[in-house]
Amino acid sequence: MDFIPFFNYPVLFKEHQKEFTDIFVDVGSRGAYILQRDLDEFEDSLRQFLNVKYAYGVADGTSAIILGLKAAGIGDGDEVIMPSHTYIATAGALQFVGGKAVLADIGPDNMLDPDDIEHRITSKTKAINPVQINGRTCDMDRLRVIAQKHGLQIIEDAAQGLGALYKGQAAGTFGSFGTFSFYPAKLLGCFGDGGAVVSNDDKIGEMLGFLRDHGRNKEGRVVTWGINSRLDNLQAAILNFKLKHYRSDMERRREIARQYDAAFRDMAEITVPVGPDSDPDRYDVYQNYEMAADNRDQLKDFLREECGVGSIIQWAGTPVHQFNELGFDQQDLPKTDAFFKRCLMLPMNTSLSEEQVQHVIASVKRFYSNAARH
Ligand SMILES: *Cc1c(COP(=O)(O)O)cnc(C)c1O
């Protein structure tokens, strides 16, 4: 069997090469590059898909957070509580607007732990920032109770959570604003950088529309300071096409997760993520299949060298608080530290064939049965 890369861009392109090429030709022939109807259509579709009032396509998932923070009035000296198990962008965007990331630990499902938040709240705390990581949602009911009790906003990094549901409500729509990334390897990936920011709040929603286009309103009049962070119309056209298939994409990911779960959940060496059918409150969409595994580094090498299977350690193995150069003095995140000694992500995307999924499963099992023999 050919090498199974962790993510296979060429296969996903070739699968719909004709449709993509038609889109390039169509957009090019219309010369429709910036703020054109494909972007309007995509924003409409996204609003409907998420059941949210405002949605804007922006340059990328990181600028989406920066714009959201600006619109929500979070900046200078404000503290925001977020998990350390997140992409550096969540913390970086906040620091960039003058705020301070206060990192919290993960709970048993590897999501922001509601029990590790309240003791981190100070007079400067402005918001709680759940990250809907790996296509799963945090315990939004408990986070809402804590936020209300302390008068804090909820702001959501849903870069990895498009389409994930918590009690029927879409990730990204719980707080003042929510953000998404369309980075090529994300759930809904475009052909370069792209992102979106959404809100149900009229003031924030209207402001987001100005901020991503130099502070201009629909008539082109500058009404506030802004910046250029527009999603390219060509990317929007691609995303429009992909969003039409997205429901079946989510189902396919859940099916792969179901197979990994059935194969690994009874193995002593592996701690599986929450399975797709085990939590009636959630619809998880498995941006990643992130498990924890004994002898993780040897397993990773074995998969690559002996079995031709690519795997990845998220954030290249470094949660935010472990970037010493950034000066975090917080080192009280024992569950995150423990998880990062064992975490590993197996291939999880719609390019995988049934045969490839079975090969990944057999390879992981082979590693541990070899280990038992020696
Ligand atoms: C990918 C990602 C981002 C940033 O998105 P970009 O589009 O790459 O800027 C932010 N947060 C999380 C959790 C992500 O996974």
Side-chain angles (χ1 to χ4, degrees), residues 60-63 65 86-87 89-90 131 133 157 159-160 180-183 186 193-194 315:
D60 52 67
T62 308
S63 355
I65 305 172
T86 187
Y87 189 37
T90 324
V131 180
I133 214 149
D157 181 344
Q160 296 195 1
F180 297 93
S181 168
F182 307 124
Y183 181 88
K186 292 283 159 77
D193 278 313
W315 329 127

Side-chain angles (χ1 to χ4, degrees), residues 196-322:
V197 55
V198 307
S199 181
N200 276 316
D201 180 295
D202 289 329
K203 230 174 114 219
I204 292 173
E206 190 175 45
M207 184 56 85
L208 288 169
F210 303 149
L211 291 179
R212 64 105 183 242
D213 186 35
H214 303 291
R216 289 186 290 207
N217 67 12
K218 282 254 186 275
E219 290 72 48
R221 192 172 167 76
V222 174
V223 295
T224 183
W225 290 111
I227 198 168
N228 180 359
S229 178
R230 301 173 300 225
L231 177 66
D232 293 342
N233 191 65
L234 179 58
Q235 302 289 4
I238 305 277
L239 290 165
N240 264 330
F241 168 73
K242 287 188 143 190
L243 191 57
K244 294 192 176 83
H245 298 248
Y246 188 58
R247 286 188 195 279
S248 65
D249 289 353
M250 293 190 294
E251 276 305 312
R252 175 67 186 141
R253 285 175 178 274
R254 285 170 59 79
E255 178 50 34
I256 296 169
R258 207 166 274 131
Q259 297 192 34
Y260 285 157
D261 186 64
F264 304 140
R265 74 176 161 234
D266 294 328
M267 290 175 63
E269 301 92 341
I270 293 179
T271 315
V272 291
V274 180
D277 306 310
S278 55
D279 184 345
D281 287 342
R282 306 281 212 303
Y283 180 82
D284 293 357
V285 295
Y286 297 90
Q287 159 73 59
N288 301 303
Y289 192 83
E290 188 177 46
M291 59 184 198
D294 291 352
N295 302 320
R296 185 262 320 264
D297 294 339
Q298 292 95 312
L299 170 63
K300 189 175 192 316
D301 291 346
F302 178 84
L303 289 176
R304 190 184 59 244
E305 283 151 27
E306 309 288 325
C307 316
V309 172
S311 63
I312 279 188
I313 303 171
Q314 198 149 216
W315 329 127
T318 312
V320 174
H321 73 286
Q322 290 179 8

Side-chain angles (χ1 to χ4, degrees), residues 4-30:
I4 304 172
F6 178 74
F7 197 90
N8 200 328
Y9 295 112
V11 163
L12 290 175
F13 181 74
K14 286 179 198 143
E15 200 173 70
H16 293 292
Q17 181 164 343
K18 164 88 173 58
E19 291 93 332
F20 292 139
T21 313
D22 287 350
I23 291 169
F24 299 154
V25 171
D26 172 48
V27 169
S29 323
R30 284 186 282 127

